[in-house]
Amino acid sequence: MSFFSTRGKSCVTASQAILQGIAPDGGLYVPAMFPAVPPERMTSLIGMSYEERAVVILKRFLEDFDLREIEEAVNAAYSRERFTHPKVAPVRKLDSSTWALELFHGPTLAFKDIALQLLPHLLRLSAWKNGEDREVCILVATSGDTGKAALEGFRDVPGTSCTVFYPLDGVSDVQKLQMVTTGGENTRVIAVHGNFDDAQTGVKELFGSESFREEMSRKGKTLSSANSINLGRLVPQVVYYFSAYADLLEEHAIAPGDPVNFCVPTGNFGNILAGYYARMMGLPIHKLICASNRNNVLTDFFRSGIYSTHRTFFKTISPSMDILVSSNLERLLYEAADRDGELIATWMRQLKECGSYSVGDQRTEWMTDVFWGDCADNNETMREIRSRWEQDHYLFDPHTAVAGHVLREYRKYSGDDSPTVIVSTASPYKFSADVLAALTGDNAGGDPFAASEKLQEITGIPVPEQVKKLRDLPVRHTAECDRDKMGEAVLKAFE
Ligand SMILES: *Cc1c(COP(=O)(O)O)cnc(C)c1O
């Protein structure tokens, strides 16, 4: 199967799309068509392990990878040392029509692990298939979660290295501790004197700099990106939608062919888009419910057909969803625009130049046939954490709680009581102070370790090892640099 750029005519193989990350015309790679998974294949997923299900789905997209390569990559990515739950992405019943799909049992306790544990293997294979024998050097700018997930994914993967830039005073204590204590011989973590935008701009400049690329090439290295627009991050996420459906079949909660809704806490639109791809492949999804926090640009978009970034940016208690430009939405627009790359290029230019674009009533109606958007503010999020705990004895993290609140609103509004899976994107222990405050009104002085212990006392849910051990791990990364010296810092780190 080949992959097209959303903005033009580029046509590449899966391995080329993964290696390039973004298309030369600035577009994102999308599959030429959606490979169908027929109903009998769907029911055959019952009883399979997560790894086996992943192979079934991934091989439909990764046609220039052979079966053994995919199997080896999947088994390495989802091993017991890396994912603490034997089912990798288990489904938990909350009430008679609601389930949680837990995507937080990986090394960094957030859903990004599912893709970022697999991506390094796919990237290494892609380099090899395309005759790229230089070391693939990943550069990441992070506001917190992506950096650590990328570091853990690429740690000690042969032929790759991973360098993360974070804003010195712009990440939480836990996030910083998670990054600077990372092990592995091929990981580098550098604090930038500046904010997240400085770090992000700096990384983009390095990607665009001919002289920097040449210098890295002389050292035997080529640059690549682990950003969520990389196709290699999208396809692993399609798997868990199928897996959740198979688990509901296995529990006899649904019968083959029954429609199910998924409610997804959304930022960059990568997670929920994978659900849309699963639906296009034949998974019986009725609605995809797009849940936003106070940065509700997507809620407004699905209601008006107008995407506008002329709005205030809010810092919320669900920071991984604090985003105004949802990059992966471009892939949905491509389908809504009947795959008209020129139209997409025009909208994206309008977004860049004027901060907004409008897709028109007809296309909006077409999208909202499947998507429903709503949002929750901090208070609603806190209330949801508490009421879900009181009603169902299930503990949401703040991101997942946004989805929980939005699902209640959706049901009130639509009367649709179809079985619904809430996609649970992070462990509550990653945000223990806020979660504790939601339950008790007290945040333990904001100390994540004290808050975690308190939460365990109240809920009986054990604190994950990944959080506990953070307190004692040695700090391994202390490099800092000025915002205009990031290239030098990378070169120095590789001396
Ligand atoms: C990244 C992230 C999200 C948002 O996912 P998108 O794919 O960017 O929409 C939601 N919750 C958590 C915990 C995350 O880390």
Side-chain angles (χ1 to χ4, degrees):
M1 149 147 48
S2 40
F3 294 83
F4 300 147
S5 162
T6 48
R7 295 191 200 173
K9 305 279 175 286
S10 261
C11 177
V12 297
T13 62
S15 66
Q16 287 166 336
I18 291 169
L19 197 56
Q20 288 179 24
I22 190 161
D25 58 14
L28 314 192
Y29 283 116
V30 292
M33 49 87 142
F34 292 100
V37 178
E40 64 279 7
R41 198 77 190 101
M42 211 100 77
T43 41
S44 78
L45 299 179
I46 300 172
M48 282 188 188
S49 68
Y50 188 82
E51 291 90 322
E52 289 166 330
R53 290 170 181 172
V55 172
V56 169
I57 301 303
L58 288 170
K59 73 177 186 202
R60 279 159 206 270
F61 286 105
L62 307 178
E63 271 181 356
D64 61 332
F65 291 66
D66 65 44
L67 194 59
R68 266 216 37 200
E69 290 172 333
I70 298 176
E71 280 170 356
E72 280 175 12
V74 161
N75 290 334
Y78 302 126
S79 70
R80 281 308 80 78
E81 296 98 70
R82 296 189 169 240
F83 282 80
T84 51
H85 198 287
K87 295 195 78 157
V88 181
V91 166
R92 292 268 306 266
K93 187 168 181 169
L94 304 188
D95 62 39
S96 59
S97 58
T98 315
W99 286 261
L101 168 58
E102 295 183 343
L103 302 180
F104 54 76
H105 295 289
T108 78
L109 305 173
F111 98 96
K112 292 185 176 69
D113 286 329
I114 304 251
L116 277 165
Q117 284 295 315
L118 188 60
L119 177 68
H121 301 283
L122 299 181
L123 200 56
R124 190 166 59 90
L125 288 163
S126 299
W128 178 74
K129 283 175 194 299
N130 290 283
E132 177 59 76
D133 51 13
R134 292 170 291 181
E135 177 187 296
V136 180
C137 175
I138 302 292
L139 297 184
V140 180
T142 185
S143 58
D145 279 343
T146 304
K148 178 59 177 177
L151 287 165
E152 280 305 315
F154 283 93
R155 181 160 66 103
D156 290 333
V157 173
T160 73
S161 70
C162 184
T163 304
V164 169
F165 290 97
Y166 71 94
L168 186 54
D169 299 312
V171 299
S172 78
D173 292 344
V174 171
Q175 287 173 327
K176 179 171 174 176
L177 266 180
Q178 276 190 315
M179 288 191 278
V180 298
T181 57
T182 301
E185 292 305 312
N186 64 341
T187 56
R188 315 272 190 281
V189 181
I190 302 168
V192 179
H193 302 145
N195 60 26
F196 171 63
D197 280 331
D198 296 322
Q200 169 119 310
T201 308
V203 166
K204 278 190 185 155
E205 279 169 12
L206 292 183
F207 276 115
S209 159
E210 253 341 288
S211 62
F212 180 70
R213 279 182 182 273
E214 273 167 26
E215 196 142 359
M216 290 297 275
S217 190
R218 270 199 296 280
K219 289 177 178 275
K221 297 174 201 309
T222 179
L223 301 182
S224 189
S225 148
N227 196 283
S228 84
I229 55 181
N230 191 318
L231 181 81
R233 278 191 60 181
L234 182 59
V235 287
Q237 295 174 178
V238 176
V239 174
Y240 51 71
Y241 286 91
F242 281 94
S243 180
Y245 193 87
D247 279 350
L248 292 191
L249 285 172
E250 213 166 281
E251 277 183 28
H252 301 290
I254 55 171
D258 281 356
V260 168
N261 299 327
F262 283 88
C263 183
V264 189
T266 297
N268 218 1
F269 210 74
N271 193 349
I272 196 167
L273 183 86
Y276 179 72
Y277 277 22
R279 188 178 189 274
M280 295 297 281
M281 294 165 77
L283 191 69
I285 295 177
H286 175 50
K287 283 278 187 225
L288 286 163
I289 301 162
C290 177
S292 303
N293 63 24
R294 197 174 170 201
N295 296 295
N296 57 356
V297 59
L298 288 166
T299 309
D300 290 348
F301 173 67
F302 283 123
R303 291 188 184 167
S304 66
I306 298 168
Y307 195 99
S308 171
T309 54
H310 296 291
R311 48 174 71 230
T312 312
F313 177 87
F314 297 106
K315 280 190 109 152
T316 73
I317 56 170
S318 45
S320 300
M321 294 154 66
D322 289 344
I323 188 160
L324 292 186
V325 179
S326 294
S327 332
N328 275 292
L329 184 66
E330 183 169 340
R331 286 183 162 115
L332 177 66
L333 295 177
Y334 185 66
E335 306 304 330
D338 261 339
R339 305 203 141 204
D340 179 345
E342 269 171 45
L343 186 52
I344 302 298
T346 306
W347 286 339
M348 292 304 123
R349 205 166 44 241
Q350 289 170 347
L351 182 65
K352 202 167 164 196
E353 286 166 9
C354 322
S356 73
Y357 58 84
S358 167
V359 303
D361 290 346
Q362 225 177 339
R363 294 194 188 90
T364 308
E365 244 170 67
W366 182 87
M367 286 187 287
T368 49
D369 196 38
V370 181
F371 287 89
W372 197 81
D374 204 351
C375 53
D377 64 21
N378 278 353
N379 284 333
E380 289 164 330
T381 307
M382 297 287 264
R383 269 211 309 277
E384 173 68 19
I385 292 174
R386 183 173 181 147
S387 59
R388 192 59 78 169
W389 175 252
E390 286 171 353
Q391 284 166 20
D392 305 321
H393 257 60
Y394 190 83
L395 197 59
F396 276 160
D397 96 284
H399 302 76
T400 312
V402 167
H405 174 84
V406 165
L407 176 59
R408 287 183 209 269
E409 294 297 305
Y410 169 74
R411 282 181 169 154
K412 252 190 270 171
Y413 172 86
S414 67
D416 173 13
D417 59 357
S418 313
T420 300
V421 178
I422 295 172
V423 179
S424 180
T425 50
S427 159
Y429 282 106
K430 215 170 169 173
F431 306 93
S432 51
D434 286 328
V435 174
L436 181 68
L439 296 192
T440 66
D442 168 49
N443 75 349
D447 175 348
F449 299 109
S452 293
E453 273 165 30
K454 204 71 205 263
L455 259 188
Q456 173 173 311
E457 236 173 79
I458 297 171
T459 63
I461 301 167
V463 183
E465 282 306 315
Q466 294 98 313
V467 170
K468 274 198 269 184
K469 73 180 180 201
L470 267 187
R471 215 189 320 215
D472 306 319
L473 280 178
V475 170
R476 295 183 67 245
H477 305 275
T478 53
E480 293 182 15
C481 74
D482 288 334
R483 61 185 95 175
D484 55 349
K485 298 272 181 344
M486 288 166 59
E488 286 160 48
V490 175
L491 292 167
K492 188 159 160 232
F494 281 106
E495 265 164 17

